[in-house]
C-alpha cells in the first residue's frame, strides 16, 4: 500500500466497486418505447476526473416533436384508459426494479454527477424508489384523495430537471404524473443524463406501454423546444430561478399548466438553547454534504450572539474532519463540483464575497488536483447586502451572521427574494412553532435539516417557485379536478 492510500483524512480508501454492470459508450433517445438515434450527440463527463463517460443524443426540435407525439398517442390510446390498478402495478414494478438495481444507479449517479457514493446510495436511490412506491399506492385510490372531486389526468407533461439530484428529480416528476394517468417527456440536465437513460432502460424492462415515458437528452435548447411545443398540456420544471422565469414568460397565455421548483437561500437558525453538537451536524448536513448542490441547502447561518463563538469553533473543527475527494470512495463527505462552469460560478461569488468585505475561512485539508473541487468555505462578518448572503452560490459556501432576538432572526432570514426552505434549532417547542410560522419558506425543519419523505409536500414561495411536489399537494398538481 503506498502513502497515497492514506492521503485523505487518514482513512484507507474504500472504493465502491464498479464492475457489477457496464455503462454503454453511447446512448440514444428513448422515444415511443424505442431507442432513437439523434442527429447530433454530446458527451457527458465525470467531474471528478474530467474523463468522458459516454456519448448521448442531442434532441432537437424534430426529436422533441417525435417524443411528444409518442406521449400523446400513449396517453390517448392506452395510459389514460387503463384501469388505475394496472397503472399502479407498473409503478410498483418500477419501484422494485429500482431497488434491485440500486447499486448500479448509485454508482452511475456518483460517476456522472460527482456526488459522494454515500449520498447516492443512502439518499438519492432509496428516495427515488420510495417515490415510485408511494405513488403506485395512490394510482387506484385517487378517487379518495380529493373528497368531493373527481380527479382526471391532464394529458402530456413536459418535465425538465437539474443536475443536482438527477434520478431523484426524475422520480419526483415521473411517478406522480404516471399515477394520475398522464404520459411524460422528460429532459434530464446536460451534465447528468445517464441515470435518466438507465431509468429508461429499466422502464423498458418493466414493459411499460411504449410512449408512456419518453426521455430526451440535451441542453437548454432541447428544454426550450419542449416548453414551447403546443402538444404539451403542462410543464414541470426544477432548476434555476432565471430559467424558471423564462419558462413562465414563454408559456404565458398558452393555457399550459406549470409547476416551478427553483433556487433557494435557506436560513438555518441556531438559538442559544439548541443542542449545539446536533446543530453543528445539521449545519454540516445542510450545506456541505452534496457539495452544497442542493436547492434547499442551508446556505445562510444565523447564530444567536451568545453562542456564536462556540458554534463557530465547533463548526471549524468539524469541517476539518470532512473528507473531500473521490465520489466513489465510501469515506467521502464532499465530492466533485458538478461541472467546470459551476466551479467557476462558485469561485467568482467567493471572490466577490472577499472583495465586499466578508471574512473567508477554509480548512486546510487537501483536495485532488484533477477534476472540479471546492473546499468547504465559511464567511463571517457578512452584511445583509453582501452578494454571498443574497445570491444562491450552489456550492459548499456558508454565509454566517449573528442575531440577538427571534424577531431579528426572522427579519434577517426573510430578507431574501427566495423562499424555499429553512431550519430552526431550539430546545423550546413554542419558539420552534413561532419561527416556522414566521419564516417565508415552503419547508422549515426543526432540529434537523434536509429531511425528505414522499408523503411530505416540497416547494417554494416567492422566487423559489410555484407548486408542490410530493404528498397530496404534489398529486393534485398532476390532476384536473372535476367537481
Ligand atoms: P438551469 O436552470 O440552467 O438548468 C435546469 C434545467 O433546465 C436543465 O435541464 C437545463 O438544460 C434546462 N434549461 C436550461 N435553459 C432552459 C430553457 N431556456 N428552457 C428550458 N429548459 C432549460 O440550471 P443550471 O444551469 O443547471 O444551474 C444554474 C443555477 O441554477 C445554479 O447555479 C443554481 O443556482 C440553480 N440550480 C437550482 C436547482 C434546484 O434544484 N432548485 C438545481 C440546479 C441548479
Ligand atoms: Mn456528467
Amino acid at each position: 500500500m503506498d502513502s497515497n492510500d492514506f492521503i485523505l483524512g487518514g482513512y484507507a480508501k474504500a472504493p465502491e466497486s464498479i464492475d457489477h454492470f457496464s455503462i454503454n459508450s453511447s446512448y440514444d433517445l428513448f422515444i415511443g418505447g424505442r431507442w432513437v438515434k439523434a442527429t447530433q450527440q454530446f458527451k457527458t463527463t465525470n467531474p471528478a476526473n474530467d474523463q468522458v463517460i459516454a456519448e448521448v443524443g442531442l434532441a432537437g426540435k424534430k426529436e422533441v416533436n417525435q417524443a411528444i407525439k409518442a406521449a400523446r398517442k400513449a396517453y390517448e390510446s392506452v395510459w389514460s384508459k387503463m384501469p388505475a390498478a394496472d397503472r399502479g402495478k407498473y409503478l410498483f414494478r418500477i419501484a422494485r426494479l429500482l431497488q434491485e438495481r440500486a447499486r448500479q444507479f448509485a454508482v452511475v449517479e456518483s460517476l456522472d454527477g460527482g456526488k459522494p457514493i454515500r449520498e447516492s446510495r443512502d439518499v438519492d436511490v432509496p428516495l427515488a424508489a420510495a417515490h415510485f412506491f408511494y405513488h403506485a399506492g395512490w394510482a387506484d385510490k385517487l378517487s379518495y384523495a380529493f373528497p368531493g372531486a373527481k380527479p382526471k389526468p391532464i394529458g402530456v407533461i413536459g418535465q425538465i430537471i437539474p443536475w443536482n439530484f438527477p434520478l431523484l428529480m426524475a422520480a419526483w416528476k415521473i411517478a406522480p404524473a404516471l399515477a394520475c394517468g398522464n404520459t411524460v417527456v422528460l429532459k434530464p440536465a446536460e451534465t447528468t443524463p445517464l441515470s435518466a437513460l438507465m431509468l429508461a432502460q429499466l422502464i423498458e424492462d418493466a414493459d411499460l406501454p411504449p410512449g408512456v415515458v419518453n426521455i430526451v437528452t440535451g441542453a437548454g435548447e432541447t428544454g426550450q423546444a419542449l416548453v414551447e411545443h403546443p402538444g404539451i398540456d403542462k410543464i414541470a420544471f426544477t432548476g434555476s430561478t432565471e430559467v424558471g422565469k423564462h419558462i413562465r414568460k414563454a408559456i404565458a397565455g398558452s393555457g399550459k399548466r406549470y409547476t416551478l421548483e427553483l433556487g433557494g437561500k435557506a436560513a438555518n437558525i441556531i438559538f442559544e438553547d439548541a443542542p449545539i453538537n446536533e446543530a453543528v451536524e445539521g449545519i454540516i448536513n445542510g450545506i456541505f454534504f452534496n457539495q452544497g448542490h442542493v436547492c434547499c441547502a442551508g446556505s445562510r447561518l444565523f447564530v444567536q450572539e451568545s453562542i456564536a463563538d462556540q458554534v463557530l469553533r465547533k463548526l471549524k473543527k468539524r469541517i476539518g474532519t470532512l473528507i473531500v475527494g473521490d465520489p466513489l470512495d465510501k469515506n467521502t463527505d464532499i465530492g466533485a463540483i458538478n461541472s467546470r462552469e459551476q466551479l467557476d460560478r462558485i469561485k467568482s461569488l467567493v471572490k466577490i464575497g472577499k472583495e465586499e468585505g466578508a471574512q473567508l475561512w477554509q480548512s486546510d485539508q487537501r483536495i485532488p488536483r484533477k477534476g472540479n473541487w471546492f473546499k468547504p468555505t465559511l464567511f463571517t462578518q457578512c452584511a445583509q447586502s453582501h452578494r454571498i448572503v443574497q445570491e444562491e452560490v450552489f456550492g459548499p459556501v456558508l454565509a454566517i451572521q449573528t442575531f440577538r432576538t427571534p424577531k431579528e432572526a426572522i427579519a434577517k432570514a426573510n430578507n431574501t427574494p427566495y423562499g424555499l426552505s429553512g431550519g430552526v434549532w431550539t430546545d423550546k417547542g413554542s419558539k420552534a412553532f413561532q419561527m416556522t410560522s414566521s419564516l417565508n419558506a415552503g419547508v422549515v425543519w426543526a432540529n434537523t435539516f434536509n429531511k425528505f419523505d414522499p408523503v411530505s409536500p416540497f416547494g417554494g414561495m416567492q422566487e423559489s417557485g410555484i407548486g408542490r411536489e410530493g404528498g397530496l399537494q404534489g398529486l393534485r398538481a398532476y390532476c384536473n379536478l372535476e367537481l
Side-chain angles (χ1 to χ4, degrees):
M1 207 178 279
D2 71 36
S3 58
N4 274 346
D5 289 332
F6 288 97
I7 50 169
L8 298 170
Y11 287 93
K13 284 182 182 172
E16 175 76 24
S17 63
I18 55 171
D19 55 4
H20 47 91
F21 72 104
S22 59
I23 298 174
N24 299 349
S25 58
S26 98
Y27 288 86
D28 295 328
L29 311 169
F30 188 62
I31 298 177
R34 292 187 307 116
W35 292 91
V36 175
K37 191 144 205 76
T39 325
Q40 281 177 288
Q41 324 289 313
F42 69 101
K43 295 180 170 71
T44 185
T45 57
N46 176 348
N49 59 19
D50 294 330
Q51 277 170 15
V52 173
I53 309 173
E55 241 184 27
V56 303
L58 178 62
K61 281 192 175 149
K62 184 181 102 193
E63 289 93 350
V64 167
N65 181 45
Q66 216 178 330
I68 291 171
K69 273 196 174 152
R72 176 65 58 190
K73 190 167 163 222
Y75 175 73
E76 282 170 2
S77 61
V78 187
W79 198 249
S80 64
K81 299 216 169 77
M82 180 183 284
D86 289 349
R87 287 203 303 263
K89 280 184 206 165
Y90 281 111
L91 288 172
F92 275 121
R93 204 182 287 170
I94 295 173
R96 282 195 302 269
L97 280 170
L98 256 179
Q99 287 183 319
E100 277 173 28
R101 300 180 190 180
R103 274 183 77 198
Q104 69 192 60
F105 272 98
V107 169
V108 163
E109 205 71 327
S110 286
L111 275 176
D112 201 13
K115 66 170 64 192
I117 188 77
R118 196 183 59 212
E119 290 278 314
S120 37
R121 181 196 63 200
D122 296 350
V123 181
D124 297 59
V125 178
L127 265 179
H131 269 267
F132 278 104
F133 276 117
Y134 174 75
H135 290 98
W138 269 124
D140 62 350
K141 300 171 200 72
L142 283 177
S143 52
Y144 306 102
F146 311 103
K150 227 171 146 189
K152 297 270 179 215
I154 297 172
V156 175
I157 319 285
Q159 307 183 314
I160 299 173
I161 55 173
W163 42 259
N164 56 341
F165 289 90
L167 177 69
L168 183 59
M169 290 300 108
W172 277 28
K173 296 274 180 287
I174 295 173
L178 263 48
C180 297
N182 307 287
T183 59
V184 307
V185 178
L186 175 118
K187 190 198 86 64
E190 53 272 35
T191 56
T192 55
L194 293 181
S195 55
L197 291 164
M198 274 176 53
L199 185 62
Q201 289 176 326
L202 183 153
I203 282 168
E204 194 179 21
D205 295 343
D207 249 342
L208 247 76
V212 172
V213 174
N214 305 275
I215 309 279
V216 291
T217 43
E221 278 182 28
T222 309
Q224 190 149 352
L226 190 54
V227 168
E228 288 172 356
H229 198 288
I232 57 161
D233 300 298
K234 164 174 169 156
I235 193 88
F237 172 78
T238 299
S240 61
T241 296
E242 189 191 343
V243 174
K245 285 180 180 173
H246 187 79
I247 289 176
R248 207 174 153 183
K249 271 191 211 140
I251 62 174
S254 70
K256 288 173 191 165
R257 288 180 56 174
Y258 59 92
T259 51
L260 306 170
E261 204 272 274
L262 311 175
K265 193 74 188 174
N268 208 355
I269 303 169
I270 322 285
F271 284 96
E272 60 189 2
D273 59 1
I276 305 285
N277 291 339
E278 284 78 356
V280 168
E281 273 317 295
I283 299 165
I284 298 277
N285 176 30
I287 184 69
F288 295 126
F289 291 165
N290 219 11
Q291 302 74 251
H293 292 342
V294 184
C295 50
C296 51
S299 53
R300 291 181 300 154
L301 174 64
F302 294 95
V303 192
Q304 199 153 19
E305 209 173 79
S306 51
I307 54 161
D309 290 344
Q310 186 192 3
V311 168
L312 198 60
R313 200 172 53 243
K314 287 188 180 223
L315 191 56
K316 287 178 177 172
K317 196 170 163 207
R318 178 69 176 97
I319 290 172
T321 68
L322 294 176
I323 299 171
V324 185
D326 183 5
L328 285 180
D329 191 319
K330 291 168 208 156
N331 295 313
T332 295
D333 297 304
I334 301 184
I337 300 301
N338 184 267
S339 65
R340 180 54 49 102
E341 198 192 351
Q342 185 60 24
L343 181 61
D344 291 343
R345 222 177 279 165
I346 296 170
K347 283 181 177 166
S348 106
L349 269 162
V350 165
K351 185 163 167 273
I352 289 165
K354 284 192 279 188
E355 286 165 3
E356 287 190 335
Q359 185 90 41
L360 173 126
W361 180 89
Q362 285 179 322
S363 60
D364 53 11
Q365 68 253 72
R366 288 161 60 179
I367 55 173
R369 251 170 280 142
K370 237 171 119 189
N372 307 314
W373 310 92
F374 201 78
K375 279 190 186 184
T377 300
L378 302 180
F379 274 110
T380 52
Q381 312 292 326
C382 296
Q384 286 283 318
S385 59
H386 285 166
R387 284 182 62 188
I388 43 157
V389 171
Q390 289 297 327
E391 294 178 27
E392 188 181 40
V393 182
F394 229 64
V397 179
L398 179 63
I400 305 177
Q401 292 175 270
T402 59
F403 67 92
R404 288 183 184 170
T405 63
K407 209 172 146 199
E408 186 188 350
I410 292 164
K412 283 182 166 171
N414 282 342
N415 182 14
T416 165
Y418 292 112
L420 191 56
S421 62
V424 180
W425 297 79
T426 170
D427 193 32
K428 200 156 190 238
S430 59
K431 209 181 329 177
F433 280 118
Q434 183 203 359
M435 295 300 294
T436 50
S437 54
S438 307
L439 290 173
N440 294 334
V443 181
V444 183
W445 290 286
N447 294 331
T448 186
F449 209 89
N450 275 349
K451 282 275 180 290
F452 286 91
D453 190 290
V455 178
S456 177
F458 181 83
M461 296 165 66
Q462 307 183 149
E463 293 205 356
S464 288
I466 294 167
R468 293 291 176 269
E469 295 190 297
L472 271 176
Q473 291 82 349
L475 205 61
R476 198 196 175 301
Y478 282 101
C479 304
N480 282 324
L481 291 187
E482 276 179 16
L483 295 171

